[in-house]
Amino acid sequence: MAHKSLSEIEIPHDRFEMRLSGSGGQGMILASVIMAEAVGADPTKNVIQTQSYGPEARGGASKADVVISTNEIYYPKALTLDLLLVMTQESMDKYYPDLKEGGTLIIDNVLVTKVPTDKYYGLPFTRLAREEAGHVMVANVVALGAIAALTGIVSHEALVKAVLARAPRGTEDKNRKAVEIGFREALKIIK
Amino acid sequence: MAHKSLSEIEIPHDRFEMRLSGSGGQGMILASVIMAEAVGADPTKNVIQTQSYGPEARGGASKADVVISTNEIYYPKALTLDLLLVMTQESMDKYYPDLKEGGTLIIDNVLVTKVPTDKYYGLPFTRLAREEAGHVMVANVVALGAIAALTGIVSHEALVKAVLARAPRGTEDKNRKAVEIGFREALKIIK
């Protein structure tokens, strides 16, 4: 294959870049792996999931990226985000500049209070996880349910399957409930 | 930043590419995340960890890549592997061609029986996990211990810390034991 220069690489219109960000303990990497597996179950889609560690990645903010395309993905790093999930104020401040104009911003609206735009979807993912799904640890999965409902990037069925495939034994019910809560609450705010 | 064409990108001599491969249930993604976190704890290292889903990634073989450099990593996909871990015959057959000449091949020598070279390190990771660490599920962590001992790419201490940070509650002992067994058995075969 002849390599193209990055500036010549045609970024297909169907390329969709998603970043899930928060703090180290919020399960953003696991959520990204689940999302990539759910989307990748569609045989027409190519998906690359990445995380970086290095000087720019240090500090409290944690991120994991998912790049989706119906074409081959030559360049797997996220360049300008179509969707950004932020679960902490620090990740809001750090990654908002990477969201493209018109991109979708989804926030935990209890944990993130300063938002530099009024165009966003806010839901209390962490509170919903704790109060309705049974454990704060599944806040990441509540967020995945909301992303699926808001974007249609993955079907409800494919997401549930991918979540359950990664749920530690004994946590299946909480995880299934978390997906449902995310879906339900997201549908309320887009109505 | 001016983008360079891929063919002009200088692949630094210090670039180290690692692929962990096996079947879907063998925890290769988790092992790669752990390895990336362990190596990335070193402030002089940049690490990118990726997995792909798509036509070429389908089938029974599962892989996850870790690219390590002391320089910025412009191109995060693994190109020619410096190290390949194979935990099944299918991943052996599929990914061996991606190992560079002189690269390090590490196999589960119970599960992989046909090896196209005599230059490799073989250990019964899965059997060691089951018989000595207490659960077959930590075979991936036994393999990480062996990789650390064989390559020195990460310190024993950093690896243990990263493993324990990802170990589900209640499995810390088995995981710690798994690292030790991998280290110990690898040191035996390089003596």
Side-chain angles (χ1 to χ4, degrees), chain B residues 7-49:
Chain B
S7 53
E8 286 163 15
I9 288 176
E10 188 187 331
I11 305 297
H13 287 304
D14 70 349
R15 184 179 168 108
F16 189 90
E17 302 188 348
M18 184 186 307
R19 173 167 299 162
L20 310 186
S21 68
S23 68
Q26 288 177 311
M28 294 297 104
I29 293 178
L30 177 57
S32 294
V33 168
I34 290 170
M35 178 57 78
E37 288 175 349
V39 176
D42 176 344
T44 67
K45 300 253 176 73
N46 291 285
V47 185
I48 295 191
Q49 194 279 314

Side-chain angles (χ1 to χ4, degrees), chain A residues 147-164:
Chain A
I147 291 170
L150 291 170
T151 65
I153 195 79
V154 67
S155 73
H156 178 275
E157 186 190 353
L159 179 60
V160 168
K161 199 172 164 192
V163 165
L164 293 180

